[in-house]
Amino acid sequence: MVRQHIWHNQRFWLHGDKVMFWEDTQTLIASDLHLGKSGHFRKHGIAVPQEVLKQDLMRLFALLQHFKPQRLLVVGDFFHSHANKEHEWFARWRQDVAQLHILLVKGNHDVLPQDWYTQTNIECCSEWQENGLRFVHEPETGQQELPIICGHIHPGIRLSGVGRQSLRVPCFYFAPQQCILPAFGVFTGTHPIQPKKQDVVFAIANQQVIPL
């Protein structure tokens, strides 16, 4: 379920529940939780079970209990849209982990008022730099001065079986200067990536982290 990977002299533990634990700073890193997305769809007349949010919050709580990090760092799209009932549920969940430092690098879906983040004790920024790494929401093209850890595209890779059977699964994607994290949220899709020869990919299947 957990696999170690060293990238730019930093030690990371990749977990089958689509998060990464940064051992050097005792930080749990996640991307694209899209909390409130199911409530957003229900608000617009599309039937999506309320259990989606509860499942994501239960998974996140279990991961916090497992790694016991000093901080949760979310590289964008922590929330999905404007306020709905599900954001109130998150606020109650936040009270159960009130001592946890949460740092959010805002993504394009993080559009809640700043007062709401303040009230739920979430520190926000447009990007973050630490230990020679840069944290942003969206992948970048071209040469970067610092290696980037990001999310946004919900990377996926196709696994092929016997015959013509294949399955696209989420993945961790490490290029020489860019790491793209899988989307944490249950109610998210995947976007196919095309790794180059020098890239390192870890597929996630049945909560197992599989090097390819």
Side-chain angles (χ1 to χ4, degrees):
M1 181 179 287
V2 181
R3 187 172 294 271
Q4 178 182 276
H5 183 58
I6 297 175
W7 188 68
H8 289 279
N9 299 315
Q10 300 294 301
R11 190 182 307 274
F12 297 98
W13 294 91
L14 315 182
H15 193 281
D17 239 335
K18 300 184 286 186
V19 298
M20 186 165 73
F21 181 66
W22 187 8
E23 182 177 315
D24 304 80
T25 64
Q26 293 296 297
T27 300
L28 188 67
I29 309 173
S31 182
D32 297 278
L33 287 77
H34 288 275
L35 300 180
K37 184 175 182 179
S38 54
H40 175 76
F41 273 64
R42 286 195 304 276
K43 196 173 181 179
H44 290 80
I46 302 172
V48 179
Q50 293 182 353
E51 294 302 317
V52 170
L53 174 73
K54 295 178 182 178
Q55 184 178 346
D56 281 340
L57 291 178
M58 287 175 62
R59 288 169 54 223
L60 183 56
F61 185 79
L63 289 162
L64 293 172
Q65 293 297 303
H66 175 76
F67 286 108
K68 299 187 181 338
Q70 296 178 5
R71 174 178 58 180
L72 171 65
L73 171 56
V74 180
V75 289
D77 290 355
F78 198 169
F79 304 94
H80 182 73
S81 187
H82 298 284
N84 58 53
K85 189 71 174 178
E86 293 192 351
H87 295 91
E88 297 177 18
W89 295 347
F90 170 82
R92 290 197 292 269
W93 178 90
R94 179 68 173 111
Q95 294 174 5
D96 293 334
V97 290
Q99 301 305 313
L100 176 69
H101 178 200
I102 299 181
L103 174 61
L104 168 62
V105 177
K106 278 191 172 183
N108 53 301
H109 282 278
D110 293 309
V111 296
L112 294 167
Q114 181 56 46
D115 285 350
W116 192 89
Y117 297 108
T118 302
Q119 291 168 8
T120 52
N121 196 22
I122 297 175
E123 180 183 357
C124 297
C125 60
S126 58
E127 67 172 68
W128 184 260
Q129 293 184 16
E130 189 172 357
N131 285 19
L133 301 178
R134 181 167 163 251
F135 298 83
V136 296
H137 177 53
E138 299 188 22
E140 298 181 1
T141 58
Q143 186 65 32
Q144 293 94 27
E145 291 186 9
L146 294 176
I148 287 173
I149 294 180
C150 59
H152 184 60
I153 67 169
H154 307 186
I157 193 77
R158 189 167 293 281
L159 302 179
S160 298
V162 294
R164 297 184 178 179
Q165 294 181 343
S166 65
L167 176 68
R168 193 164 73 201
V169 299
C171 67
F172 295 93
Y173 175 46
F174 291 89
Q177 287 293 109
Q178 193 156 245
C179 162
I180 307 178
L181 299 178
F184 179 85
V186 172
F187 192 33
T188 57
T190 58
H191 176 76
I193 59 167
Q194 300 295 330
K196 298 181 176 61
K197 186 175 181 180
Q198 70 272 23
D199 299 340
V200 178
V201 176
F202 295 88
I204 303 169
N206 295 327
Q207 293 194 316
Q208 300 299 311
V209 181
I210 306 167
L212 300 180

